[in-house]
Amino acid sequence: MREMLTKQEMILEQQTRILQILHERKQDASQFETDEGLLPVRDQQGLQRLESQLQKSDFRSKLINHLSRIGRSDVKDTVWCLMKHTISNTLAKETNWRGVNGKTSMASLQLKTAVISAVRKNPLTLRASEREVEMFMKRWLQLAADREGGRRRRAQIPSAP
């Protein structure tokens, strides 16, 4: 009988914590206000605007809170979903981790830090390491050319003899 009461108390504590998390996330969502069309960033000018906004700590906090609501059940899905919500695939094709070949460097952007913070703020992925998040961000950028029919279009082009 005592064991059953202990288990019920544990369940009650878990439910209380879940309600707290949901309440916090609801408050965070109402705090984020941004210009219409800011996300996903579609071009270099939009990226520069976002980067200058991210210099302001209040905007950065609001964006992180907003993005943390987007999360999924594991780190990879969360990162990929956040990346999709923050930059368009067209811009992703012009971006890589280090900025080689004339592309924009994701590693040097404030957006990178915001995505990592948002992943860690999500209760389901809060134990994610920076290295793990970066690894999934790199992979998402690498696959940009294959998304939105890119692989299919390349397959249809006849190879030169």
Side-chain angles (χ1 to χ4, degrees), residues 6 26 37 57 73 78 82 84-86 96 105 119 123 126 131 161:
T6 304
K26 186 176 180 183
S57 63
S73 60
T78 299
L82 287 174
K84 181 180 176 184
H85 278 82
T86 56
N96 60 36
S105 167
V119 169
L126 57 90
R131 185 176 182 186

Side-chain angles (χ1 to χ4, degrees), residues 72-84:
R72 299 287 190 258
S73 60
D74 66 9
V75 178
K76 178 187 173 194
D77 288 344
T78 299
V79 171
W80 285 32
C81 192
L82 287 174
M83 293 297 290
K84 181 180 176 184

Side-chain angles (χ1 to χ4, degrees), residues 117-160:
S117 298
V119 169
R120 288 182 165 165
K121 191 163 184 159
N122 179 333
L124 298 173
T125 57
L126 57 90
R127 288 184 166 53
S129 69
E130 185 171 333
R131 185 176 182 186
E132 182 181 18
V133 175
E134 287 177 355
M135 177 184 69
F136 290 124
M137 291 173 79
K138 289 174 190 177
R139 189 65 181 144
W140 188 85
L141 290 169
Q142 290 167 348
L143 296 174
D146 288 346
R147 285 191 292 273
E148 297 177 357
R151 180 177 286 195
R152 193 176 323 111
R153 277 193 299 276
R154 286 194 310 275
Q156 292 172 351
I157 298 172
S159 59

Side-chain angles (χ1 to χ4, degrees), residues 7-18:
K7 287 182 180 180
Q8 287 178 337
E9 288 172 353
M10 285 176 40
I11 291 170
L12 183 59
E13 286 176 23
Q14 289 172 343
Q15 287 177 333
T16 303
R17 181 62 187 139
I18 290 169

Side-chain angles (χ1 to χ4, degrees), residues 7 28 35 58 60 102 104 155:
K7 287 182 180 180
D28 289 346
D35 296 335
D58 60 329
R60 184 175 46 251
T104 303

Side-chain angles (χ1 to χ4, degrees), residues 10-66:
M10 285 176 40
I11 291 170
L12 183 59
E13 286 176 23
Q14 289 172 343
Q15 287 177 333
T16 303
R17 181 62 187 139
I18 290 169
L19 287 173
Q20 287 174 336
I21 290 170
L22 290 173
H23 181 69
E24 289 169 8
R25 292 172 75 90
K26 186 176 180 183
Q27 286 178 333
D28 289 346
S30 65
Q31 290 176 5
F32 186 75
E33 297 172 9
T34 184
D35 296 335
E36 195 65 35
L38 183 64
L39 294 177
V41 178
R42 300 190 187 287
D43 55 25
Q44 293 295 331
Q45 291 99 352
L47 184 59
Q48 292 307 318
R49 275 194 309 273
L50 179 62
E51 284 293 301
S52 71
Q53 290 283 78
L54 284 169
Q55 298 295 323
K56 303 172 192 168
S57 63
D58 60 329
F59 179 85
R60 184 175 46 251
S61 296
K62 288 177 182 180
L63 180 63
I64 291 168
N65 288 337
H66 172 71

